[in-house]
Amino acid sequence: MDLLNAQVTIVGMGLMGASLAGGLRGKCRCVVGAARRAESIEIALARGFIDRGTTDLAEGVREADVVVLATPVRAILRQLPEIASLLPGGCLLMDLGSTKGRIAAEMAQLPGHIQPLGGHPMCGKEKSGIEVADPALYQGCTFILSPLERTSQEALALGRALAEGVGARPLILEPERQDFLVATVSHLPYLLACALVATADATTSQDPAAWEVVATGFRSTSRLAGSDVTMMIDILLTNREEVLRALDTYQSQLCEVIRLVEDGDEEKMREVLGAIRKTRREMYPASQQVIE
Amino acid sequence: MDLLNAQVTIVGMGLMGASLAGGLRGKCRCVVGAARRAESIEIALARGFIDRGTTDLAEGVREADVVVLATPVRAILRQLPEIASLLPGGCLLMDLGSTKGRIAAEMAQLPGHIQPLGGHPMCGKEKSGIEVADPALYQGCTFILSPLERTSQEALALGRALAEGVGARPLILEPERQDFLVATVSHLPYLLACALVATADATTSQDPAAWEVVATGFRSTSRLAGSDVTMMIDILLTNREEVLRALDTYQSQLCEVIRLVEDGDEEKMREVLGAIRKTRREMYPASQQVIE
């Protein structure tokens, strides 16, 4: 089965699902949207994201070659066993959940006629919902794929083609390794941003001048605090150990930074902060810096 | 003296000084650039930021109606007493330093023929130097003005006109109040970003896949860690008490967030993280969110 001949059914027409649908349109035989609310299907049809849509999950997946669960992590965990019996033999069952350990464990329990594949596209927006969906959302982003031992090479190739079809770069990663990495590079920044907003709210916000002096720095650093709460709670609850470990390391690093300011040793500050600046610049080569 | 008839001399042709000069060009009688390096003057002239330039400070300020010190905070502290004897009577002497307490104390010691006015424009870039200067840099930003008791209404009006001349919104703020506010909304975010980069560097960076999975969230949250180190050290050393106080509050708020993840109480998480999200959204009304 290649992508061009496949029927892809996407379950969940939020930001991620609807954007994926829109990006896949024309790249496969048929894009079907399945959602609980009829209104979401209407919008997806009106905006040309899907070929057809349904609020009947069983109907939506019955003839699918690929099914993608585009719902929050704990909804995915509930949906996996429910949906299994509805799928035709050989169907590729993917998800877009931000944490992979528990989903992989659940996928391992699926009946043998299903080909499971964990997926996690590293993109998103601060706002959620189909209203802000964009078929170009996945372009240029890394799309993590976490195959299970039982996942066939053919199924993996189809998942890869799907990621590439929406302009993303597939990256094969084991579930544990992905959960460890995203705890630090994705979930930790969210919590730091939350603590920053809470700090400002507890102190400077009392001064009416506070928001007039907010520079672009606070804006960037606090941006993630505006993320969708339901999605983030799902992530934090299903990647708790790794997130707590990342927070622990962060606390130690923050203490180092505090000691640096307390000591006020200029040479030491120049050395440490200079090295950090260099590291940050290496993370994002100059060619990419304009879009920050 | 109104701005249109004034000679404005800007000392320091880095990002902030050269951008201010470019923004003022044509809005006053003459913009003079003073810098240590002849090369900076050449670039400023070539890019049309100044009417004329000099590497001789005394010559540059001799006939000035306004002098703006656009150097790092501790350079300003050194320059204030040096420059005082060179200025004509009634000259407005401003600065663009990011911390105001120590500068205000130094300004209070200036000879009586000078009109001192602290200034702090809430804008900047991650990169420094005249190469990235932009006459539009100040447009729409808040420009804090901290007059001393001895500052005349006329001098303050001229400072206000200068800020408005480059498209900024003047905001009168006492030095202590500005230092308290910016410690939380500007200096703290820099240090959090540094600790985040250090955390990633100490853990996930060991994995070659780490930078492939970095999403836009890490990019925003860590952005300030790329700030100019000399400027930031000056800021941290001259606003140390307020920065340490802000760090202390932040540590408490971070502990609250950690406890929230540890406890894993979904309702409590929804309440706390939801309130933080609401606060963040109120800080930046929807109309502004597109540019993040």
Side-chain angles (χ1 to χ4, degrees):
Chain A
M1 173 60 61
D2 59 15
L3 187 64
L4 204 58
N5 293 312
Q7 175 191 315
V8 181
T9 298
I10 296 167
V11 180
M13 285 284 113
L15 166 68
M16 299 305 290
S19 298
L20 186 75
L24 281 173
R25 193 88 196 280
K27 309 246 164 66
C28 52
R29 179 166 54 82
C30 176
V31 180
V32 179
R36 272 182 313 184
R37 295 188 311 134
E39 196 200 340
S40 305
I41 299 299
E42 281 162 31
I43 299 173
L45 282 168
R47 294 193 54 189
F49 292 154
I50 55 176
D51 293 294
R52 61 185 180 84
T54 176
T55 54
D56 179 349
L57 186 62
E59 197 275 309
V61 303
R62 190 177 300 133
E63 295 180 354
D65 302 296
V66 183
V67 170
V68 183
L69 302 179
T71 50
V73 176
R74 287 184 303 162
I76 294 168
L77 291 170
R78 281 193 304 273
Q79 286 167 332
L80 281 170
E82 282 171 24
I83 213 168
S85 60
L86 308 172
L87 301 184
C91 183
L92 171 62
L93 179 55
M94 293 181 66
D95 76 295
L96 304 180
S98 303
T99 65
K100 294 266 77 78
R102 285 183 55 188
I103 289 173
E106 196 65 50
M107 280 181 165
Q109 309 298 318
L110 291 172
H113 73 285
I114 293 168
Q115 289 290 336
L117 177 61
H120 179 201
M122 301 301 293
C123 57
K125 283 188 185 182
E126 210 184 315
K127 290 187 173 186
S128 51
I130 192 168
E131 295 75 15
V132 289
D134 174 7
L137 183 67
Y138 292 73
Q139 269 172 27
C141 85
T142 297
F143 198 129
I144 297 173
L145 297 175
S146 299
L148 278 71
E149 265 187 48
R150 58 183 267 190
T151 310
S152 72
Q153 285 305 310
E154 198 197 343
L156 179 57
L158 188 54
R160 223 185 238 282
L162 181 141
E164 288 168 347
V166 292
R169 291 186 306 273
L171 175 72
I172 309 291
L173 223 53
E174 306 79 61
E176 301 71 27
R177 197 168 146 211
Q178 106 96 31
D179 284 358
F180 160 68
L181 291 177
V182 296
T184 294
V185 304
S186 179
H187 313 157
L188 177 64
Y190 166 71
L191 294 170
L192 307 188
C194 287
L196 175 60
V197 170
T199 300
D201 198 38
T203 57
T204 48
S205 289
Q206 314 302 314
D207 187 326
W211 303 121
E212 294 188 63
V213 306
V214 169
T216 53
F218 186 92
R219 192 188 189 102
S220 315
T221 318
S222 68
R223 183 172 70 87
L224 291 185
S227 303
D228 183 67
V229 170
T230 300
M231 183 187 77
M232 289 313 306
I233 289 175
D234 267 36
I235 287 172
L236 297 174
L237 290 177
T238 58
N239 200 23
R240 200 148 139 265
E241 284 70 29
E242 291 294 354
V243 169
L244 287 171
R245 215 170 324 216
L247 281 163
D248 193 55
T249 309
Y250 183 79
Q251 273 192 311
S252 311
Q253 295 292 341
L254 187 64
C255 286
E256 294 288 329
V257 166
I258 292 173
R259 199 156 19 233
L260 204 62
V261 177
E262 276 171 351
D263 293 350
D265 176 340
E266 190 170 343
E267 278 322 297
K268 181 82 179 157
M269 286 172 103
R270 195 170 298 278
E271 181 194 319
V272 174
L273 301 176
I276 287 172
R277 182 178 195 241
K278 189 163 166 284
T279 304
R280 173 61 172 64
R281 292 188 163 239
E282 283 164 4
M283 290 172 181
Y284 300 100
S287 64
Q288 293 180 29
Q289 289 187 357
V290 282
I291 57 163
E292 288 187 72
Chain B
M1 173 62 59
D2 59 15
L3 187 64
L4 205 59
N5 293 312
Q7 175 192 313
V8 180
T9 298
I10 296 167
V11 179
M13 284 285 110
L15 166 67
M16 299 304 290
S19 298
L20 186 73
L24 281 174
R25 192 85 196 282
K27 307 247 167 66
C28 50
R29 181 165 55 83
C30 175
V31 180
V32 178
R36 272 183 313 185
R37 296 188 311 134
E39 196 199 341
S40 304
I41 298 299
E42 281 162 32
I43 299 173
L45 281 168
R47 294 192 55 189
F49 291 155
I50 54 177
D51 292 292
R52 60 185 181 84
T54 178
T55 55
D56 179 348
L57 185 62
E59 196 275 309
V61 302
R62 191 176 299 134
E63 294 180 356
D65 301 297
V66 183
V67 169
V68 183
L69 302 179
T71 50
V73 176
R74 286 185 303 162
I76 294 168
L77 292 171
R78 281 192 305 274
Q79 287 166 331
L80 281 171
E82 281 169 26
I83 214 169
S85 61
L86 307 172
L87 301 184
C91 183
L92 171 63
L93 179 56
M94 293 181 66
D95 76 295
L96 304 180
S98 303
T99 64
K100 294 266 77 78
R102 284 183 56 187
I103 289 174
E106 196 64 51
M107 281 181 165
Q109 308 298 318
L110 291 173
H113 72 286
I114 294 167
Q115 289 290 335
L117 177 61
H120 179 202
M122 301 302 293
C123 58
K125 282 189 185 182
E126 211 184 314
K127 291 188 171 184
S128 51
I130 193 168
E131 296 75 16
V132 288
D134 174 5
L137 183 67
Y138 292 73
Q139 269 172 25
C141 84
T142 297
F143 198 129
I144 297 173
L145 296 175
S146 299
L148 278 72
E149 265 187 48
R150 58 182 268 187
T151 310
S152 71
Q153 284 305 310
E154 199 195 342
L156 178 57
L158 188 54
R160 221 185 240 282
L162 182 142
E164 287 168 348
V166 292
R169 290 187 307 273
L171 175 71
I172 309 292
L173 223 53
E174 305 81 61
E176 301 70 29
R177 198 169 144 209
Q178 106 96 31
D179 283 359
F180 160 68
L181 291 177
V182 296
T184 294
V185 305
S186 179
H187 312 157
L188 178 64
Y190 166 71
L191 294 170
L192 307 187
C194 286
L196 175 60
V197 170
T199 299
D201 197 39
T203 57
T204 46
S205 288
Q206 315 301 314
D207 188 326
W211 303 120
E212 294 187 64
V213 305
V214 170
T216 53
F218 186 91
R219 192 187 189 103
S220 315
T221 317
S222 69
R223 184 173 70 86
L224 290 185
S227 302
D228 183 67
V229 170
T230 299
M231 183 188 76
M232 289 312 306
I233 289 176
D234 267 36
I235 287 172
L236 297 174
L237 291 177
T238 57
N239 201 24
R240 202 149 139 264
E241 285 70 31
E242 290 296 353
V243 169
L244 287 171
R245 215 169 324 214
L247 280 163
D248 192 56
T249 308
Y250 183 78
Q251 274 191 311
S252 311
Q253 294 293 340
L254 187 64
C255 285
E256 294 289 328
V257 165
I258 292 173
R259 196 154 25 231
L260 204 61
V261 178
E262 276 172 351
D263 292 351
D265 176 340
E266 190 170 342
E267 278 321 298
K268 179 84 179 156
M269 286 173 103
R270 194 170 299 278
E271 182 193 318
V272 174
L273 300 177
I276 287 173
R277 182 178 196 241
K278 190 161 167 283
T279 303
R280 174 61 172 63
R281 292 190 161 238
E282 283 164 1
M283 288 173 182
Y284 300 100
S287 63
Q288 293 180 30
Q289 289 187 357
V290 283
I291 58 162
E292 288 187 69

